[in-house]
Amino acid sequence: MRILTICGSIRPNGLTNTLLEETVDELKKIVPKSEVERIQISDVKINVCKVSCNSVCSNNPYQCVQQDDFQLILNQMKHADMILLGAPQYFRAPPAQFHVLIERLVASFFNYECSNPKGESSPVHGKLCGIIATAEYSNPYVIMEYLADFCRILKMRNVVLDNFPYLGVAGQRSIEGTEIFHPHQRCKELAQKLVNLSKVLQ
Ligand SMILES: Cc1cc2nc3c(=O)[nH]c(=O)nc-3n(C[C@H](O)[C@H](O)[C@H](O)COP(=O)(O)O)c2cc1C
């Protein structure tokens, strides 16, 4: 099983990565031979969408004219059996560098699908995605919705949980947050759901 983690936090040792790794550990308990690839947004070279070149991505399926890590990341996403997407809330929004990546992916998918000259469908259609969002004093659900929306636009499948907060795993740096969101139990639940669904889809 090939797992790809995408960590949208600028801090590699922060709470978001801790919960991503906890979910990876749970996945590996169920499927020990899993391979893991990791994308850490602070290591990624990604430029903002230039917008004015949209005729390129409108006419070429899921491609971008810019020479940076965009195509590499999209290839890693295509190759994975499942993706774990994690992001924290920084000043009421996801970290800027992470949003640049999301914006680029969304732009290329949206522009191509609006024109769709060759009729190719999303190369990550139905890809299983687990969502992890963290915050300190705000409600991490804002970031969960943002990540779920990203999954919808790329036509990936956001694997939801049977328990609150449903869209995925949420972490808050406070005792109250931990009591409300139970991130450790939810990491386990998310891992199990991802494996069950990947078996169903095989
Ligand atoms: C630059 C910055 C801005 C932040 N802004 C918010 C915020 O608006 N709301 C909030 O609840 N927490 C905020 N936090 C706290 C983080 O969301 C929280 O600590 C989160 O767990 C960080 O994840 P990380 O450790 O993976 O980076 C901010 C933290 C940083 C470093």
Side-chain angles (χ1 to χ4, degrees):
M1 195 169 71
R2 293 181 302 261
I3 305 161
L4 174 68
T5 67
I6 305 181
C7 179
S9 169
I10 303 303
R11 301 190 285 205
N13 301 319
L15 181 61
T16 310
N17 231 353
T18 302
L19 294 175
L20 280 168
E21 288 304 317
E22 212 172 303
T23 310
V24 167
D25 289 345
E26 294 297 336
L27 284 165
K28 282 179 142 182
K29 278 185 203 163
I30 309 168
V31 186
K33 283 190 180 159
S34 300
E35 295 163 29
V36 188
E37 281 198 301
R38 294 173 173 84
I39 296 172
Q40 176 66 44
I41 199 64
S42 44
D43 298 335
V44 165
K45 183 180 179 294
I46 193 89
N47 304 319
V48 293
C49 180
K50 293 197 191 309
V51 181
S52 57
C53 49
N54 69 0
S55 63
V56 175
C57 58
S58 297
N59 291 296
N60 297 283
Y62 313 105
Q63 284 173 39
C64 181
V65 73
Q66 295 202 59
Q67 299 297 309
D68 57 15
D69 290 339
F70 171 88
Q71 221 68 54
L72 180 77
I73 291 172
L74 185 52
N75 285 341
Q76 286 179 288
M77 291 171 70
K78 285 191 226 170
H79 184 68
D81 295 312
M82 60 186 62
I83 300 172
L84 297 177
L85 272 176
Q89 189 173 66
Y90 283 1
F91 302 124
R92 301 184 179 275
Q97 196 172 351
F98 180 65
H99 183 66
V100 169
L101 172 64
I102 297 299
E103 182 190 60
R104 287 280 298 287
L105 286 161
V106 167
S108 93
F109 277 67
F110 180 80
N111 289 334
Y112 181 69
E113 285 180 13
C114 284
S115 61
N116 211 349
K118 296 173 190 155
E120 284 187 35
S121 68
S122 163
V124 288
H125 187 278
K127 185 83 62 187
L128 299 179
C129 258
I131 282 177
I132 293 172
T134 65
E136 188 167 347
Y137 47 85
S138 314
N139 188 339
Y141 211 80
V142 174
I143 300 295
M144 299 192 109
E145 294 268 20
Y146 166 90
L147 295 173
D149 195 44
F150 169 67
C151 287
R152 274 194 292 274
I153 295 171
L154 268 62
K155 298 191 167 54
M156 300 192 291
R157 180 168 176 190
N158 168 207
V159 174
V160 295
L161 305 179
D162 296 330
N163 296 294
F164 182 80
Y166 308 110
L167 284 183
V169 178
Q172 262 185 326
R173 254 191 224 285
S174 70
I175 292 163
E176 306 84 69
T178 306
E179 281 178 358
I180 293 168
F181 293 111
H182 302 290
H184 307 300
Q185 287 100 311
R186 297 299 170 266
C187 288
K188 269 191 195 155
E189 194 181 330
L190 178 59
Q192 192 62 62
K193 282 239 157 184
L194 284 162
V195 172
N196 292 350
L197 283 166
S198 71
K199 281 186 184 155
V200 167
L201 297 177
Q202 269 165 18

